[in-house]
PDB file of all heavy atoms in Angstrom:
ATOM      1  N   MET A   1     110.666 -78.455  26.143  1.00  0.00           N
ATOM      2  CA  MET A   1     110.614 -78.728  24.701  1.00  0.00           C
ATOM      3  C   MET A   1     109.147 -78.779  24.280  1.00  0.00           C
ATOM      4  O   MET A   1     108.528 -79.855  24.296  1.00  0.00           O
ATOM      5  CB  MET A   1     111.331 -80.039  24.387  1.00  0.00           C
ATOM      6  CG  MET A   1     112.826 -79.996  24.658  1.00  0.00           C
ATOM      7  SD  MET A   1     113.668 -81.534  24.194  1.00  0.00           S
ATOM      8  CE  MET A   1     113.126 -82.619  25.532  1.00  0.00           C
ATOM      9  N   PRO A   2     108.581 -77.630  23.931  1.00  0.00           N
ATOM     10  CA  PRO A   2     107.135 -77.560  23.631  1.00  0.00           C
ATOM     11  C   PRO A   2     106.662 -78.545  22.581  1.00  0.00           C
ATOM     12  O   PRO A   2     105.525 -79.023  22.643  1.00  0.00           O
ATOM     13  CB  PRO A   2     106.960 -76.106  23.147  1.00  0.00           C
ATOM     14  CG  PRO A   2     108.067 -75.356  23.800  1.00  0.00           C
ATOM     15  CD  PRO A   2     109.224 -76.313  23.834  1.00  0.00           C
ATOM     16  N   GLU A   3     107.524 -78.862  21.613  1.00  0.00           N
ATOM     17  CA  GLU A   3     107.105 -79.786  20.565  1.00  0.00           C
ATOM     18  C   GLU A   3     106.809 -81.180  21.126  1.00  0.00           C
ATOM     19  O   GLU A   3     106.023 -81.944  20.554  1.00  0.00           O
ATOM     20  CB  GLU A   3     108.168 -79.881  19.455  1.00  0.00           C
ATOM     21  CG  GLU A   3     109.473 -80.551  19.844  1.00  0.00           C
ATOM     22  CD  GLU A   3     110.451 -79.648  20.600  1.00  0.00           C
ATOM     23  OE1 GLU A   3     110.094 -78.482  20.849  1.00  0.00           O
ATOM     24  OE2 GLU A   3     111.557 -80.113  20.920  1.00  0.00           O
ATOM     25  N   LYS A   4     107.448 -81.527  22.255  1.00  0.00           N
ATOM     26  CA  LYS A   4     107.230 -82.839  22.869  1.00  0.00           C
ATOM     27  C   LYS A   4     105.853 -82.938  23.525  1.00  0.00           C
ATOM     28  O   LYS A   4     105.274 -84.017  23.625  1.00  0.00           O
ATOM     29  CB  LYS A   4     108.309 -83.122  23.928  1.00  0.00           C
ATOM     30  CG  LYS A   4     109.703 -83.326  23.370  1.00  0.00           C
ATOM     31  CD  LYS A   4     109.766 -84.583  22.548  1.00  0.00           C
ATOM     32  CE  LYS A   4     111.172 -84.842  22.018  1.00  0.00           C
ATOM     33  NZ  LYS A   4     111.186 -85.968  21.077  1.00  0.00           N
ATOM     34  N   LEU A   5     105.346 -81.791  24.002  1.00  0.00           N
ATOM     35  CA  LEU A   5     104.073 -81.808  24.729  1.00  0.00           C
ATOM     36  C   LEU A   5     102.952 -82.365  23.863  1.00  0.00           C
ATOM     37  O   LEU A   5     102.180 -83.224  24.308  1.00  0.00           O
ATOM     38  CB  LEU A   5     103.733 -80.392  25.210  1.00  0.00           C
ATOM     39  CG  LEU A   5     102.398 -80.248  25.954  1.00  0.00           C
ATOM     40  CD1 LEU A   5     102.378 -81.141  27.184  1.00  0.00           C
ATOM     41  CD2 LEU A   5     102.163 -78.793  26.342  1.00  0.00           C
ATOM     42  N   LEU A   6     102.853 -81.900  22.623  1.00  0.00           N
ATOM     43  CA  LEU A   6     101.783 -82.374  21.745  1.00  0.00           C
ATOM     44  C   LEU A   6     101.993 -83.827  21.333  1.00  0.00           C
ATOM     45  O   LEU A   6     101.028 -84.577  21.147  1.00  0.00           O
ATOM     46  CB  LEU A   6     101.668 -81.470  20.521  1.00  0.00           C
ATOM     47  CG  LEU A   6     101.240 -80.025  20.817  1.00  0.00           C
ATOM     48  CD1 LEU A   6     101.128 -79.227  19.536  1.00  0.00           C
ATOM     49  CD2 LEU A   6      99.919 -79.992  21.585  1.00  0.00           C
ATOM     50  N   GLU A   7     103.267 -84.234  21.206  1.00  0.00           N
ATOM     51  CA  GLU A   7     103.549 -85.644  20.918  1.00  0.00           C
ATOM     52  C   GLU A   7     103.054 -86.527  22.066  1.00  0.00           C
ATOM     53  O   GLU A   7     102.412 -87.562  21.850  1.00  0.00           O
ATOM     54  CB  GLU A   7     105.053 -85.860  20.739  1.00  0.00           C
ATOM     55  CG  GLU A   7     105.628 -85.297  19.451  1.00  0.00           C
ATOM     56  CD  GLU A   7     107.128 -85.546  19.349  1.00  0.00           C
ATOM     57  OE1 GLU A   7     107.613 -86.505  20.003  1.00  0.00           O
ATOM     58  OE2 GLU A   7     107.815 -84.804  18.627  1.00  0.00           O
ATOM     59  N   PHE A   8     103.374 -86.105  23.290  1.00  0.00           N
ATOM     60  CA  PHE A   8     102.941 -86.860  24.471  1.00  0.00           C
ATOM     61  C   PHE A   8     101.415 -86.889  24.564  1.00  0.00           C
ATOM     62  O   PHE A   8     100.814 -87.895  24.928  1.00  0.00           O
ATOM     63  CB  PHE A   8     103.522 -86.246  25.746  1.00  0.00           C
ATOM     64  CG  PHE A   8     105.003 -86.448  25.918  1.00  0.00           C
ATOM     65  CD1 PHE A   8     105.794 -85.462  26.497  1.00  0.00           C
ATOM     66  CD2 PHE A   8     105.613 -87.623  25.517  1.00  0.00           C
ATOM     67  CE1 PHE A   8     107.161 -85.640  26.655  1.00  0.00           C
ATOM     68  CE2 PHE A   8     106.984 -87.815  25.682  1.00  0.00           C
ATOM     69  CZ  PHE A   8     107.752 -86.817  26.253  1.00  0.00           C
ATOM     70  N   ASN A   9     100.792 -85.774  24.235  1.00  0.00           N
ATOM     71  CA  ASN A   9      99.334 -85.698  24.341  1.00  0.00           C
ATOM     72  C   ASN A   9      98.655 -86.631  23.347  1.00  0.00           C
ATOM     73  O   ASN A   9      97.665 -87.295  23.665  1.00  0.00           O
ATOM     74  CB  ASN A   9      98.867 -84.257  24.115  1.00  0.00           C
ATOM     75  CG  ASN A   9      97.582 -83.959  24.844  1.00  0.00           C
ATOM     76  OD1 ASN A   9      97.492 -84.112  26.058  1.00  0.00           O
ATOM     77  ND2 ASN A   9      96.552 -83.553  24.116  1.00  0.00           N
ATOM     78  N   LYS A  10      99.212 -86.698  22.151  1.00  0.00           N
ATOM     79  CA  LYS A  10      98.658 -87.595  21.128  1.00  0.00           C
ATOM     80  C   LYS A  10      98.804 -89.059  21.565  1.00  0.00           C
ATOM     81  O   LYS A  10      97.893 -89.868  21.397  1.00  0.00           O
ATOM     82  CB  LYS A  10      99.369 -87.357  19.796  1.00  0.00           C
ATOM     83  CG  LYS A  10      98.756 -88.110  18.634  1.00  0.00           C
ATOM     84  CD  LYS A  10      99.495 -87.852  17.322  1.00  0.00           C
ATOM     85  CE  LYS A  10      99.230 -86.463  16.785  1.00  0.00           C
ATOM     86  NZ  LYS A  10      99.768 -86.280  15.414  1.00  0.00           N
ATOM     87  N   LEU A  11      99.968 -89.383  22.153  1.00  0.00           N
ATOM     88  CA  LEU A  11     100.195 -90.740  22.661  1.00  0.00           C
ATOM     89  C   LEU A  11      99.197 -91.096  23.752  1.00  0.00           C
ATOM     90  O   LEU A  11      98.628 -92.191  23.764  1.00  0.00           O
ATOM     91  CB  LEU A  11     101.620 -90.853  23.225  1.00  0.00           C
ATOM     92  CG  LEU A  11     102.761 -91.072  22.239  1.00  0.00           C
ATOM     93  CD1 LEU A  11     104.097 -90.918  22.952  1.00  0.00           C
ATOM     94  CD2 LEU A  11     102.664 -92.459  21.603  1.00  0.00           C
ATOM     95  N   GLU A  12      98.984 -90.169  24.663  1.00  0.00           N
ATOM     96  CA  GLU A  12      98.071 -90.435  25.775  1.00  0.00           C
ATOM     97  C   GLU A  12      96.638 -90.588  25.274  1.00  0.00           C
ATOM     98  O   GLU A  12      95.889 -91.446  25.763  1.00  0.00           O
ATOM     99  CB  GLU A  12      98.170 -89.304  26.806  1.00  0.00           C
ATOM    100  CG  GLU A  12      97.209 -89.407  27.977  1.00  0.00           C
ATOM    101  CD  GLU A  12      97.428 -90.613  28.883  1.00  0.00           C
ATOM    102  OE1 GLU A  12      98.223 -91.519  28.524  1.00  0.00           O
ATOM    103  OE2 GLU A  12      96.795 -90.671  29.952  1.00  0.00           O
ATOM    104  N   MET A  13      96.247 -89.769  24.305  1.00  0.00           N
ATOM    105  CA  MET A  13      94.898 -89.881  23.744  1.00  0.00           C
ATOM    106  C   MET A  13      94.690 -91.261  23.118  1.00  0.00           C
ATOM    107  O   MET A  13      93.653 -91.906  23.332  1.00  0.00           O
ATOM    108  CB  MET A  13      94.691 -88.775  22.705  1.00  0.00           C
ATOM    109  CG  MET A  13      93.315 -88.763  22.077  1.00  0.00           C
ATOM    110  SD  MET A  13      92.926 -87.190  21.264  1.00  0.00           S
ATOM    111  CE  MET A  13      94.425 -86.870  20.352  1.00  0.00           C
ATOM    112  N   THR A  14      95.692 -91.720  22.378  1.00  0.00           N
ATOM    113  CA  THR A  14      95.611 -93.045  21.748  1.00  0.00           C
ATOM    114  C   THR A  14      95.520 -94.142  22.801  1.00  0.00           C
ATOM    115  O   THR A  14      94.717 -95.076  22.691  1.00  0.00           O
ATOM    116  CB  THR A  14      96.839 -93.287  20.847  1.00  0.00           C
ATOM    117  OG1 THR A  14      96.888 -92.270  19.835  1.00  0.00           O
ATOM    118  CG2 THR A  14      96.773 -94.648  20.172  1.00  0.00           C
ATOM    119  N   ASN A  15      96.348 -94.024  23.850  1.00  0.00           N
ATOM    120  CA  ASN A  15      96.339 -95.024  24.927  1.00  0.00           C
ATOM    121  C   ASN A  15      94.983 -95.077  25.631  1.00  0.00           C
ATOM    122  O   ASN A  15      94.450 -96.156  25.914  1.00  0.00           O
ATOM    123  CB  ASN A  15      97.435 -94.712  25.951  1.00  0.00           C
ATOM    124  CG  ASN A  15      98.832 -94.915  25.395  1.00  0.00           C
ATOM    125  OD1 ASN A  15      99.017 -95.595  24.393  1.00  0.00           O
ATOM    126  ND2 ASN A  15      99.821 -94.311  26.034  1.00  0.00           N
ATOM    127  N   LEU A  16      94.427 -93.912  25.912  1.00  0.00           N
ATOM    128  CA  LEU A  16      93.150 -93.853  26.626  1.00  0.00           C
ATOM    129  C   LEU A  16      92.007 -94.405  25.780  1.00  0.00           C
ATOM    130  O   LEU A  16      91.096 -95.065  26.294  1.00  0.00           O
ATOM    131  CB  LEU A  16      92.842 -92.410  27.041  1.00  0.00           C
ATOM    132  CG  LEU A  16      93.720 -91.817  28.145  1.00  0.00           C
ATOM    133  CD1 LEU A  16      93.449 -90.330  28.305  1.00  0.00           C
ATOM    134  CD2 LEU A  16      93.498 -92.542  29.474  1.00  0.00           C
ATOM    135  N   LEU A  17      92.063 -94.161  24.473  1.00  0.00           N
ATOM    136  CA  LEU A  17      90.993 -94.619  23.582  1.00  0.00           C
ATOM    137  C   LEU A  17      90.943 -96.144  23.461  1.00  0.00           C
ATOM    138  O   LEU A  17      89.896 -96.718  23.150  1.00  0.00           O
ATOM    139  CB  LEU A  17      91.173 -94.011  22.193  1.00  0.00           C
ATOM    140  CG  LEU A  17      90.388 -92.741  21.894  1.00  0.00           C
ATOM    141  CD1 LEU A  17      90.771 -92.171  20.537  1.00  0.00           C
ATOM    142  CD2 LEU A  17      88.882 -92.998  21.962  1.00  0.00           C
ATOM    143  N   GLN A  18      92.058 -96.801  23.710  1.00  0.00           N
ATOM    144  CA  GLN A  18      92.106 -98.256  23.593  1.00  0.00           C
ATOM    145  C   GLN A  18      91.283 -98.950  24.674  1.00  0.00           C
ATOM    146  O   GLN A  18      90.910-100.107  24.534  1.00  0.00           O
ATOM    147  CB  GLN A  18      93.559 -98.730  23.661  1.00  0.00           C
ATOM    148  CG  GLN A  18      94.370 -98.373  22.414  1.00  0.00           C
ATOM    149  CD  GLN A  18      95.839 -98.709  22.567  1.00  0.00           C
ATOM    150  OE1 GLN A  18      96.283 -99.177  23.619  1.00  0.00           O
ATOM    151  NE2 GLN A  18      96.620 -98.473  21.516  1.00  0.00           N
ATOM    152  N   ASN A  19      91.002 -98.235  25.745  1.00  0.00           N
ATOM    153  CA  ASN A  19      90.221 -98.801  26.850  1.00  0.00           C
ATOM    154  C   ASN A  19      88.775 -98.300  26.746  1.00  0.00           C
ATOM    155  O   ASN A  19      88.507 -97.104  26.856  1.00  0.00           O
ATOM    156  CB  ASN A  19      90.841 -98.364  28.186  1.00  0.00           C
ATOM    157  CG  ASN A  19      90.201 -99.068  29.366  1.00  0.00           C
ATOM    158  OD1 ASN A  19      89.080 -99.564  29.290  1.00  0.00           O
ATOM    159  ND2 ASN A  19      90.919 -99.105  30.483  1.00  0.00           N
ATOM    160  N   GLU A  20      87.847 -99.211  26.532  1.00  0.00           N
ATOM    161  CA  GLU A  20      86.448 -98.835  26.355  1.00  0.00           C
ATOM    162  C   GLU A  20      85.868 -98.126  27.569  1.00  0.00           C
ATOM    163  O   GLU A  20      84.905 -97.369  27.450  1.00  0.00           O
ATOM    164  CB  GLU A  20      85.606-100.079  26.042  1.00  0.00           C
ATOM    165  CG  GLU A  20      85.846-100.632  24.652  1.00  0.00           C
ATOM    166  CD  GLU A  20      84.880-101.746  24.303  1.00  0.00           C
ATOM    167  OE1 GLU A  20      83.942-101.979  25.090  1.00  0.00           O
ATOM    168  OE2 GLU A  20      85.076-102.389  23.253  1.00  0.00           O
ATOM    169  N   LYS A  21      86.464 -98.363  28.735  1.00  0.00           N
ATOM    170  CA  LYS A  21      85.975 -97.696  29.944  1.00  0.00           C
ATOM    171  C   LYS A  21      86.127 -96.174  29.865  1.00  0.00           C
ATOM    172  O   LYS A  21      85.462 -95.439  30.587  1.00  0.00           O
ATOM    173  CB  LYS A  21      86.726 -98.226  31.171  1.00  0.00           C
ATOM    174  CG  LYS A  21      86.421 -99.678  31.503  1.00  0.00           C
ATOM    175  CD  LYS A  21      87.218-100.142  32.720  1.00  0.00           C
ATOM    176  CE  LYS A  21      86.919-101.599  33.050  1.00  0.00           C
ATOM    177  NZ  LYS A  21      87.721-102.070  34.218  1.00  0.00           N
ATOM    178  N   ASN A  22      87.042 -95.720  29.003  1.00  0.00           N
ATOM    179  CA  ASN A  22      87.269 -94.275  28.871  1.00  0.00           C
ATOM    180  C   ASN A  22      86.362 -93.615  27.835  1.00  0.00           C
ATOM    181  O   ASN A  22      86.353 -92.383  27.713  1.00  0.00           O
ATOM    182  CB  ASN A  22      88.732 -94.006  28.477  1.00  0.00           C
ATOM    183  CG  ASN A  22      89.710 -94.446  29.543  1.00  0.00           C
ATOM    184  OD1 ASN A  22      89.454 -94.276  30.736  1.00  0.00           O
ATOM    185  ND2 ASN A  22      90.828 -95.022  29.136  1.00  0.00           N
ATOM    186  N   HIS A  23      85.609 -94.417  27.085  1.00  0.00           N
ATOM    187  CA  HIS A  23      84.811 -93.861  25.990  1.00  0.00           C
ATOM    188  C   HIS A  23      83.757 -92.875  26.483  1.00  0.00           C
ATOM    189  O   HIS A  23      83.497 -91.852  25.840  1.00  0.00           O
ATOM    190  CB  HIS A  23      84.158 -94.990  25.192  1.00  0.00           C
ATOM    191  CG  HIS A  23      85.144 -95.752  24.362  1.00  0.00           C
ATOM    192  ND1 HIS A  23      84.793 -96.811  23.550  1.00  0.00           N
ATOM    193  CD2 HIS A  23      86.494 -95.609  24.203  1.00  0.00           C
ATOM    194  CE1 HIS A  23      85.876 -97.291  22.943  1.00  0.00           C
ATOM    195  NE2 HIS A  23      86.914 -96.576  23.335  1.00  0.00           N
ATOM    196  N   LYS A  24      83.145 -93.185  27.609  1.00  0.00           N
ATOM    197  CA  LYS A  24      82.114 -92.287  28.149  1.00  0.00           C
ATOM    198  C   LYS A  24      82.713 -90.913  28.454  1.00  0.00           C
ATOM    199  O   LYS A  24      82.093 -89.881  28.166  1.00  0.00           O
ATOM    200  CB  LYS A  24      81.486 -92.885  29.406  1.00  0.00           C
ATOM    201  CG  LYS A  24      80.337 -92.047  29.948  1.00  0.00           C
ATOM    202  CD  LYS A  24      79.698 -92.691  31.178  1.00  0.00           C
ATOM    203  CE  LYS A  24      78.561 -91.823  31.712  1.00  0.00           C
ATOM    204  NZ  LYS A  24      77.936 -92.410  32.927  1.00  0.00           N
ATOM    205  N   PHE A  25      83.930 -90.916  29.020  1.00  0.00           N
ATOM    206  CA  PHE A  25      84.609 -89.642  29.305  1.00  0.00           C
ATOM    207  C   PHE A  25      84.811 -88.853  28.017  1.00  0.00           C
ATOM    208  O   PHE A  25      84.526 -87.647  27.966  1.00  0.00           O
ATOM    209  CB  PHE A  25      85.969 -89.899  29.965  1.00  0.00           C
ATOM    210  CG  PHE A  25      86.947 -88.757  29.798  1.00  0.00           C
ATOM    211  CD1 PHE A  25      86.850 -87.620  30.573  1.00  0.00           C
ATOM    212  CD2 PHE A  25      87.943 -88.821  28.822  1.00  0.00           C
ATOM    213  CE1 PHE A  25      87.740 -86.554  30.400  1.00  0.00           C
ATOM    214  CE2 PHE A  25      88.833 -87.768  28.640  1.00  0.00           C
ATOM    215  CZ  PHE A  25      88.730 -86.636  29.436  1.00  0.00           C
ATOM    216  N   PHE A  26      85.311 -89.524  26.981  1.00  0.00           N
ATOM    217  CA  PHE A  26      85.563 -88.835  25.712  1.00  0.00           C
ATOM    218  C   PHE A  26      84.272 -88.273  25.123  1.00  0.00           C
ATOM    219  O   PHE A  26      84.236 -87.141  24.640  1.00  0.00           O
ATOM    220  CB  PHE A  26      86.220 -89.789  24.705  1.00  0.00           C
ATOM    221  CG  PHE A  26      87.702 -89.935  24.895  1.00  0.00           C
ATOM    222  CD1 PHE A  26      88.254 -91.119  25.370  1.00  0.00           C
ATOM    223  CD2 PHE A  26      88.561 -88.891  24.595  1.00  0.00           C
ATOM    224  CE1 PHE A  26      89.620 -91.259  25.540  1.00  0.00           C
ATOM    225  CE2 PHE A  26      89.933 -89.018  24.752  1.00  0.00           C
ATOM    226  CZ  PHE A  26      90.463 -90.197  25.227  1.00  0.00           C
ATOM    227  N   ILE A  27      83.210 -89.069  25.155  1.00  0.00           N
ATOM    228  CA  ILE A  27      81.935 -88.632  24.582  1.00  0.00           C
ATOM    229  C   ILE A  27      81.421 -87.375  25.290  1.00  0.00           C
ATOM    230  O   ILE A  27      81.038 -86.393  24.650  1.00  0.00           O
ATOM    231  CB  ILE A  27      80.899 -89.773  24.658  1.00  0.00           C
ATOM    232  CG1 ILE A  27      81.279 -90.886  23.670  1.00  0.00           C
ATOM    233  CG2 ILE A  27      79.489 -89.249  24.375  1.00  0.00           C
ATOM    234  CD1 ILE A  27      80.490 -92.171  23.861  1.00  0.00           C
ATOM    235  N   GLU A  28      81.438 -87.405  26.622  1.00  0.00           N
ATOM    236  CA  GLU A  28      80.941 -86.259  27.374  1.00  0.00           C
ATOM    237  C   GLU A  28      81.821 -85.031  27.182  1.00  0.00           C
ATOM    238  O   GLU A  28      81.325 -83.901  27.069  1.00  0.00           O
ATOM    239  CB  GLU A  28      80.848 -86.610  28.871  1.00  0.00           C
ATOM    240  CG  GLU A  28      79.812 -87.671  29.195  1.00  0.00           C
ATOM    241  CD  GLU A  28      78.428 -87.328  28.654  1.00  0.00           C
ATOM    242  OE1 GLU A  28      77.998 -86.163  28.854  1.00  0.00           O
ATOM    243  OE2 GLU A  28      77.800 -88.187  28.024  1.00  0.00           O
ATOM    244  N   ARG A  29      83.130 -85.259  27.130  1.00  0.00           N
ATOM    245  CA  ARG A  29      84.060 -84.142  26.949  1.00  0.00           C
ATOM    246  C   ARG A  29      83.863 -83.484  25.580  1.00  0.00           C
ATOM    247  O   ARG A  29      83.839 -82.255  25.466  1.00  0.00           O
ATOM    248  CB  ARG A  29      85.498 -84.657  27.091  1.00  0.00           C
ATOM    249  CG  ARG A  29      86.586 -83.626  26.826  1.00  0.00           C
ATOM    250  CD  ARG A  29      86.580 -82.528  27.854  1.00  0.00           C
ATOM    251  NE  ARG A  29      87.631 -81.557  27.597  1.00  0.00           N
ATOM    252  CZ  ARG A  29      87.586 -80.291  27.950  1.00  0.00           C
ATOM    253  NH1 ARG A  29      86.507 -79.833  28.583  1.00  0.00           N
ATOM    254  NH2 ARG A  29      88.569 -79.471  27.687  1.00  0.00           N
ATOM    255  N   ILE A  30      83.715 -84.298  24.539  1.00  0.00           N
ATOM    256  CA  ILE A  30      83.567 -83.758  23.184  1.00  0.00           C
ATOM    257  C   ILE A  30      82.203 -83.071  23.024  1.00  0.00           C
ATOM    258  O   ILE A  30      82.098 -82.029  22.380  1.00  0.00           O
ATOM    259  CB  ILE A  30      83.775 -84.862  22.137  1.00  0.00           C
ATOM    260  CG1 ILE A  30      85.260 -85.287  22.146  1.00  0.00           C
ATOM    261  CG2 ILE A  30      83.377 -84.396  20.744  1.00  0.00           C
ATOM    262  CD1 ILE A  30      85.567 -86.508  21.329  1.00  0.00           C
ATOM    263  N   LYS A  31      81.179 -83.636  23.618  1.00  0.00           N
ATOM    264  CA  LYS A  31      79.868 -82.968  23.580  1.00  0.00           C
ATOM    265  C   LYS A  31      79.960 -81.560  24.164  1.00  0.00           C
ATOM    266  O   LYS A  31      79.428 -80.596  23.587  1.00  0.00           O
ATOM    267  CB  LYS A  31      78.832 -83.787  24.367  1.00  0.00           C
ATOM    268  CG  LYS A  31      78.248 -84.956  23.616  1.00  0.00           C
ATOM    269  CD  LYS A  31      77.192 -85.663  24.460  1.00  0.00           C
ATOM    270  CE  LYS A  31      76.619 -86.864  23.704  1.00  0.00           C
ATOM    271  NZ  LYS A  31      75.624 -87.609  24.511  1.00  0.00           N
ATOM    272  N   LYS A  32      80.640 -81.468  25.280  1.00  0.00           N
ATOM    273  CA  LYS A  32      80.788 -80.163  25.929  1.00  0.00           C
ATOM    274  C   LYS A  32      81.557 -79.191  25.043  1.00  0.00           C
ATOM    275  O   LYS A  32      81.179 -78.021  24.892  1.00  0.00           O
ATOM    276  CB  LYS A  32      81.506 -80.337  27.274  1.00  0.00           C
ATOM    277  CG  LYS A  32      81.645 -79.036  28.070  1.00  0.00           C
ATOM    278  CD  LYS A  32      82.356 -79.276  29.392  1.00  0.00           C
ATOM    279  CE  LYS A  32      82.513 -77.955  30.157  1.00  0.00           C
ATOM    280  NZ  LYS A  32      83.268 -78.137  31.416  1.00  0.00           N
TER     281      LYS A  32
END
């Protein structure tokens, strides 16, 4: 169900952002 994949991805992004330990990963990934 391809439509579920993007829903799951959005959920995971939100979950990861709640933890400050993941911020460095996001910053480096977005810079790239």
Side-chain angles (χ1 to χ4, degrees):
M1 294 183 286
E3 68 279 1
K4 292 294 182 187
L5 178 59
L6 295 181
E7 288 180 24
F8 289 144
N9 208 57
K10 187 180 287 189
L11 279 170
E12 176 64 350
M13 182 162 46
T14 301
N15 292 341
L16 290 171
L17 264 174
Q18 289 173 358
N19 188 338
E20 288 187 8
K21 292 179 180 179
N22 296 321
H23 288 180
K24 184 178 179 181
F25 157 78
F26 278 110
I27 290 168
E28 294 306 313
R29 176 66 179 153
I30 291 171
K31 279 182 181 178
K32 183 180 179 183

